[in-house]
Amino acid sequence: MKAVFKIDDANPRQVEVDFNTLIVAGWAGRDMAAIEHHIEELAAIGVPRPSSVPLYYRIADNQLTQAGTVQALGEESSGEVETFVFAVDGEMYVSIASDHTDRKLETVSVAMSKQVCVKPVATVAWRLADVAGYWDELVIRSYIVENGVETLYQEGPLSTLRTPQDLIAGYTGGAAVLPEGAGMTCGTVGAIGGIRPAADFTMELHDPRRQRSLRHRYHVESLPVVA
C-alpha cells in the first residue's frame, strides 16, 4: 500500500512509502498495571487474555488507508489511537493510526478481529528524532461522536507505553530501526467509559513542548451483515 506523508518540521516536504509490512504491537504498556487494566477492559467484552506481552500481530499491508471514510462489516467495530512509526531512507518518522478492530470477532480471535478491519493512518508525520528526547511527554487522545456530541474517548501520556525503539527491537530481534516498507503501531491507552463502537473517530498525537498536534478523523460506513 502506498502512502504519502507531509513531514511537519523546519524543512516541510512529502515522503512516499510503499508499505509491504504492517505490524500492530499489542499489549504494549510499559508497566504491568497498565497492561492488566487493558486486559481486564477487553475481558469485560469477552476477549481472551494474551499468551504473552507484548504481542506482534501481522496485518495485511493493503489494510492500511489514509481515506477519510472507511467501511466495516456490521456495527461492532471501534477505533484505538496509536502512534505509528516507519522508516524512509534510513530516517524514522512518527504519525498516528487507528487499530480499528471488530469487537464481536475479537471475542473469538484477536488476530482475526484486527485483520478484518482497515487501519486508518494520518497524512502528516514528524521526524522521530525531533521528539525522541521527550517522548514520554507526548499525549495520545481520541474522540468519538455520541448522540451528536464529540466526546473524549481516550487520553494518556506515552510514558505509559513502551517506546517505539523497545517495541521495534522486540520485533526485529535487536535492531531499533524498522526496515524500509514496514510500519508499526505502538500501543494504546484505555477507553474512557469502556470500549464501544462509534461511526466517527478522531485521533490525535499532541506535543506539549512545541504546542502542535497530529490529527486525523475518519468516518465508518457500516455494511449490512447478511446470512
Side-chain angles (χ1 to χ4, degrees), residues 86-184:
F86 59 95
V88 177
D89 296 330
E91 179 80 65
M92 290 289 296
Y93 295 92
V94 58
S95 186
I96 46 173
S98 175
D99 179 17
H100 203 88
T101 300
D102 185 310
R103 300 303 173 184
K104 187 174 183 179
L105 183 57
E106 193 172 30
T107 63
V108 178
S109 168
V110 174
M112 291 178 64
S113 71
K114 295 181 179 299
Q115 173 60 45
V116 300
C117 291
V118 296
K119 306 302 181 190
V121 63
T123 59
V124 182
W126 299 328
R127 290 177 66 247
L128 183 58
D130 288 345
V131 295
Y134 58 98
W135 180 261
D136 286 359
E137 298 176 25
L138 303 182
V139 176
I140 52 173
R141 58 174 68 101
S142 68
Y143 302 85
I144 60 175
V145 175
E146 292 183 306
N147 301 316
V149 178
E150 188 171 70
T151 302
L152 182 65
Y153 182 63
Q154 295 173 278
E155 184 175 49
L158 295 186
S159 59
T160 63
L161 301 170
R162 294 173 185 260
T163 65
Q165 294 85 350
D166 184 22
L167 290 170
I168 292 169
Y171 177 75
T172 62
V177 177
L178 285 171
E180 298 277 336
M184 177 184 287

Side-chain angles (χ1 to χ4, degrees), residues 2-127:
K2 289 187 177 180
V4 177
F5 296 89
K6 176 183 176 183
I7 306 305
D8 180 17
D9 61 14
N11 178 32
R13 61 202 180 281
Q14 286 190 338
V15 297
E16 182 174 300
V17 187
D18 189 1
F19 287 104
N20 54 43
T21 303
L22 178 59
I23 310 113
V24 169
W27 317 104
R30 195 176 297 187
D31 61 73
M32 286 307 299
I35 295 174
E36 187 62 28
H37 172 77
H38 192 46
I39 290 174
E40 292 177 356
E41 182 180 56
L42 291 172
I45 59 173
V47 180
R49 298 179 68 90
S51 57
S52 63
V53 293
L55 281 180
Y56 298 95
Y57 301 96
R58 280 292 305 276
I59 309 297
D61 61 86
N62 60 5
Q63 292 296 75
L64 198 66
T65 179
Q66 292 181 308
T69 298
V70 302
Q71 295 179 323
L73 185 64
E75 299 181 347
E76 300 296 329
S77 65
S78 63
E80 289 186 348
V81 60
E82 308 201 9
T83 57
F84 179 77
V85 292
F86 59 95
V88 177
D89 296 330
E91 179 80 65
M92 290 289 296
Y93 295 92
V94 58
S95 186
I96 46 173
S98 175
D99 179 17
H100 203 88
T101 300
D102 185 310
R103 300 303 173 184
K104 187 174 183 179
L105 183 57
E106 193 172 30
T107 63
V108 178
S109 168
V110 174
M112 291 178 64
S113 71
K114 295 181 179 299
Q115 173 60 45
V116 300
C117 291
V118 296
K119 306 302 181 190
V121 63
T123 59
V124 182
W126 299 328
R127 290 177 66 247

